[in-house]
Amino acid sequence: MSSPTHGARARARIEVTAAIKDEARRQLAAEGAAKLSLRAVARELGMVSSALYRYFPSRDDLLTALIIDAYDSLGETVEQAHAAAADAGPVRRWSAVCEAARAWALGHPHEYALIYGSPVPGYAAPQTTVPAASRIGLVLTAILREAHQGPGLVTPPLPAELRAEADRMTADLAPDLPPETVTALVAAWAQLFGLIGFELFGQFNRVVEDREPFFRQAVAQLARGVGLVDPQHGDAGKG
Amino acid sequence: MSSPTHGARARARIEVTAAIKDEARRQLAAEGAAKLSLRAVARELGMVSSALYRYFPSRDDLLTALIIDAYDSLGETVEQAHAAAADAGPVRRWSAVCEAARAWALGHPHEYALIYGSPVPGYAAPQTTVPAASRIGLVLTAILREAHQGPGLVTPPLPAELRAEADRMTADLAPDLPPETVTALVAAWAQLFGLIGFELFGQFNRVVEDREPFFRQAVAQLARGVGLVDPQHGDAGKG
DNA sequence: CAAAAAAGAGAGCAGCGCTCTTGCCCTGGA
DNA sequence: TCCAGGGCAAGAGCGCTGCTCTCTTTTTTG
């Protein structure tokens, strides 16, 4: 950082690191995480396999880097979708975000499997992944927050047995929202990825053929589930 | 099949096959599907690795056998839960089935990952798995069918763009149910496994702590989503 | 310019899925 | 009773994997 030569070395390191991740992502898209091979990455990059260990101490560390990148890629995609629908009503924004998440998943199936599929046994995602993983949740929360401050939210009452946990989640995630809403949001968040995962992992094969309208309807119902009400079928009723 | 001696041979084969699957399941529970190794299975069974290929032509075929067993295990579990709640109302039966599915998943996390987690790339589950995989869907459908013939179902209208696909799915899955119900059921089916998968795969870590009441509430809302109405909070209103 | 730090190269270890060949032994028919 | 045929285990071996260690080359630094 003090001298330019040190910067040159550091820059080279950054470039090689990026090249490794790029090639790894290519192999991920081609063969999946299970068949991601350090040797194959090195071969393709014209270096020897052991040299890779100068950049990533293990295969798992390379995977972790790819996981964070994937979360960030998804997060950025949905944030952009949210921003692009800023003028629309909350139901429309909710749908836009959900559909952006689905589109990202369909476009990056192996990266989706990496972050929302079965975890590799014996591999615990380090805490480093948490901020990137949270981005989509923050977007969904923001939509509900605006709706809460604006037209309001319609939520079913909580059963007594859930009261304590709902309050705890609310304090953690969105203290300015009603616990009923936070609970419904967390459930909808999981359910959204149930829908996406079933489509991506083949559970809908021979069951749902025309997935786009099906997903749109399911997401609209999800919006109702978190209490979003639809003024004039999602038309910009806010502005 | 004609002579008892031939039967002795066949019986031995069945026993060895079962022993291989048992040991494979043990390793599955210990290490996960990715690290399931034919050599380790053979080692544990006191045979040489190549001998396993007399019973399963490849690692994938062994996995397929485990997948079918897992689907059947889950299917049987939820069928029993359904039968045990036969006297209750449809909402209670729905919840019982969903909670049984969750309990099975928590008790067999690696087998769950095998059937509802990311698919192994290059491995397409053969058509043989379909009947076993369908069992839980059939149970859920049966609940809705009885409710449809009894107290009735409350379903939101379908958007025009979904009409054709909804009719197609209905003809395929449950021609005696309204297309609105079938569409909602398929979505709820996917969403149920979104909830279970998020809990199992660690997405709820540091988010939802007291999972049982949370899941119960989510499942109750899922029941509402498929149109099940709750006479006196799920009490046996069918009489 | 020499010392030190970083990176690459290559050999090697232990493990993997899978294939092929060899030979044992059980079984069913003559 | 004997014998051919076939099911089956064993072993060697191929090409691959992640990872470690040592040695050399390159680059940065005092």
Side-chain angles (χ1 to χ4, degrees):
Chain A
M1 202 176 276
S2 52
S3 75
T5 48
H6 176 267
R9 185 107 99 176
R11 203 177 324 119
R13 189 179 178 83
I14 288 172
E15 275 172 25
V16 175
T17 305
I20 292 172
K21 287 203 292 186
D22 282 352
E23 178 57 33
R25 240 186 305 272
R26 272 200 46 243
Q27 292 200 13
L28 205 70
E31 296 280 0
K35 296 196 176 173
L36 173 61
S37 146
L38 288 187
R39 292 177 116 102
V41 170
R43 206 182 301 130
E44 212 68 22
L45 259 51
M47 50 202 312
V48 90
S49 72
S50 55
L52 278 193
Y53 286 83
R54 302 277 179 200
Y55 297 88
F56 295 96
S58 79
R59 186 178 177 275
D60 279 1
D61 289 84
L62 176 54
L63 272 180
T64 298
L66 295 179
I67 286 173
I68 293 178
D69 283 5
Y71 273 127
D72 273 326
S73 170
L74 169 63
E76 198 176 312
T77 299
V78 298
E79 282 165 13
Q80 284 175 2
H82 183 225
D87 294 337
V91 174
R92 251 190 152 74
R93 287 212 299 281
W94 174 275
S95 295
V97 165
C98 291
E99 280 160 33
R102 170 176 175 265
W104 183 90
L106 292 179
H108 307 77
H110 290 105
E111 290 176 71
Y112 178 90
L114 199 60
I115 56 183
Y116 290 108
S118 1
V120 179
Y123 168 82
Q127 213 61 15
T128 337
T129 63
V130 170
S134 307
R135 290 172 71 168
I136 184 167
L138 293 178
V139 173
L140 295 176
T141 308
I143 295 175
L144 291 195
R145 180 171 294 120
E146 291 175 44
H148 177 59
Q149 292 163 349
L153 294 163
V154 184
T155 39
L158 288 177
E161 62 166 1
L162 190 50
R163 195 75 235 180
E165 175 66 11
D167 288 341
R168 205 201 49 71
M169 288 194 293
T170 303
D172 265 20
L173 303 175
D176 52 340
L177 291 180
E180 290 84 1
T181 298
V182 174
T183 304
L185 171 60
V186 173
W189 169 55
Q191 290 168 3
L192 166 64
F193 286 100
L195 290 163
I196 294 176
F198 259 39
E199 174 172 358
L200 216 62
F201 295 163
Q203 228 83 28
F204 278 166
N205 290 352
R206 267 171 257 275
V207 179
V208 184
E209 299 286 352
D210 195 5
R211 277 101 189 241
E212 206 143 332
F214 174 83
F215 183 81
R216 256 196 292 271
Q217 166 76 353
V219 156
Q221 292 306 109
L222 236 39
R224 276 197 54 224
V226 294
L228 290 177
V229 282
D230 194 343
Q232 289 185 10
H233 208 73
D235 202 298
K238 178 196 158 205
Chain B
M1 205 177 273
S2 51
S3 74
T5 49
H6 177 266
R9 203 115 78 197
R11 202 175 327 120
R13 189 180 178 84
I14 289 173
E15 275 172 24
V16 175
T17 305
I20 292 173
K21 288 204 290 187
D22 282 351
E23 177 56 34
R25 240 187 305 271
R26 272 201 46 244
Q27 292 201 11
L28 206 70
E31 295 281 0
K35 296 195 175 172
L36 173 62
S37 145
L38 288 188
R39 292 178 114 100
V41 170
R43 205 182 303 128
E44 212 67 23
L45 259 50
M47 50 201 315
V48 89
S49 71
S50 55
L52 280 193
Y53 287 84
R54 299 281 177 189
Y55 297 88
F56 295 96
S58 79
R59 185 178 178 275
D60 280 1
D61 288 86
L62 175 54
L63 270 180
T64 299
L66 296 179
I67 285 172
I68 294 179
D69 283 5
Y71 272 128
D72 273 325
S73 171
L74 169 62
E76 197 174 312
T77 299
V78 298
E79 283 166 13
Q80 285 176 1
H82 183 225
D87 294 337
V91 173
R92 250 190 154 73
R93 286 212 299 280
W94 175 274
S95 295
V97 164
C98 292
E99 281 161 32
R102 169 175 176 267
W104 183 91
L106 292 179
H108 307 75
H110 291 103
E111 290 176 70
Y112 178 90
L114 198 60
I115 55 183
Y116 290 109
S118 0
V120 179
Y123 168 82
Q127 214 60 17
T128 336
T129 62
V130 171
S134 306
R135 292 172 70 169
I136 184 168
L138 293 178
V139 172
L140 294 175
T141 308
I143 295 174
L144 292 194
R145 180 172 294 119
E146 291 175 44
H148 177 60
Q149 292 164 348
L153 294 163
V154 185
T155 40
L158 288 177
E161 62 166 2
L162 189 52
R163 196 75 234 179
E165 174 66 10
D167 287 342
R168 204 200 48 72
M169 288 193 292
T170 304
D172 265 22
L173 302 176
D176 52 340
L177 290 180
E180 290 84 0
T181 298
V182 174
T183 304
L185 170 61
V186 173
W189 169 55
Q191 291 168 3
L192 166 65
F193 286 100
L195 291 165
I196 294 175
F198 260 38
E199 175 172 357
L200 217 62
F201 294 164
Q203 228 83 29
F204 278 166
N205 290 353
R206 270 171 256 272
V207 179
V208 184
E209 298 287 352
D210 194 4
R211 278 99 189 244
E212 206 143 332
F214 174 83
F215 183 81
R216 256 197 292 271
Q217 165 77 351
V219 156
Q221 293 306 109
L222 235 40
R224 277 197 54 223
V226 296
L228 289 178
V229 283
D230 193 343
Q232 290 183 6
H233 208 73
D235 204 294
K238 181 193 160 208

